[in-house]
Amino acid sequence: MLQLYGHPFSSYTWKALIPFYANGTPFEFRSVDPGEGAENGAFVQAAHPAGKFPVLVDGDATVIEATAIVEYLAVHHPGPAPLIPHDPAEAVVARMLDRVFDHYVMHNMNRVVAAHIVGGGNPDQGEIASAKEALRRVYRWLEDWLSENRLPPHVSLVSCAAAPSLFYSDWVERIPDDHPHLRALRAELLALPAVSRCVEDARPFRHYFPPGAPDRD
Ligand SMILES: N[C@@H](CCC(=O)N[C@@H](CS)C(=O)NCC(=O)O)C(=O)O
């Protein structure tokens, strides 16, 4: 039985959970929530060079980094969802977009979250403004890309990266009304059964969101 270590509210854990749900791959979820005890968290600390989750265990294999977990599942536990496009040229596009979502959407959303964690009631407003500006810039890039290109079919590596990053980034910096393609993509992703399952499983933990979770989604 595969084991996935992570947290139901964690964006990168969603990225690894979505392919499991989309392909109906059996696995055991091992939560690192403090309420579940220290054992799972200690395993993650030992398995990952920065103590980050998700971490996948498959027999003797331990796989870290959400993108690598999606790639691993595509190779070793394939299912109906085309996680990595079979066409090599389309696969390059999927991997490019995966990097865009991780580095420029997820990362800048996390900068806002981190500013609240570090600053408590007095977060660094310069850092927050800079992260939000970077989010607006990547939103514009994505809107332009989506208006001229087609995404690989869901559920792919792109959906796995885009769903959690757009879900949470919209909470810290709304995707503007004049970005119809990007707004539509977020709505489309949240409507996928594999993604809505993550949203529902995370709902009890919304009070963990340091900037405060909005009353929607
Ligand atoms: N590059 C990693 C990032 C994973 C990551 O940042 N995970 C967060 C949760 S969403 C985490 O482990 N946070 C706890 C920590 O950094 O100690 C990946 O792609 O898996």
Side-chain angles (χ1 to χ4, degrees), residues 10-13 15 45 48 50-54 65-67 102 110:
S10 136
S11 51
Y12 280 106
T13 301
K15 183 169 168 181
Q45 289 302 320
H48 190 284
K52 290 184 184 293
F53 40 88
E65 295 293 301
T67 297
D102 270 21
N110 276 327

Side-chain angles (χ1 to χ4, degrees), residues 83-149:
L83 300 178
I84 306 296
H86 294 301
D87 177 72
E90 281 185 26
V92 171
V93 173
R95 293 185 172 106
M96 176 187 79
L97 290 171
D98 173 66
R99 299 298 72 217
V100 170
F101 281 108
D102 270 21
H103 287 305
Y104 309 112
V105 184
M106 204 93 100
H107 171 68
N108 287 308
M109 176 275 293
N110 276 327
R111 285 175 63 198
V112 176
V113 170
H116 283 271
I117 292 172
V118 171
N122 188 23
D124 181 341
Q125 295 300 335
E127 169 66 0
I128 291 174
S130 160
K132 289 186 173 190
E133 188 183 335
L135 278 174
R136 288 192 295 274
R137 183 170 173 180
V138 70
Y139 288 166
R140 171 45 63 193
W141 187 92
L142 284 164
E143 178 65 19
D144 291 345
W145 193 92
L146 290 166
S147 63
E148 289 169 10
N149 299 277

Side-chain angles (χ1 to χ4, degrees), residues 157-176:
L157 175 62
V158 182
S159 340
C160 298
S165 51
L166 292 176
F167 178 80
Y168 286 115
S169 73
D170 190 63
W171 279 11
V172 304
E173 180 68 10
R174 286 248 29 188
I175 301 168

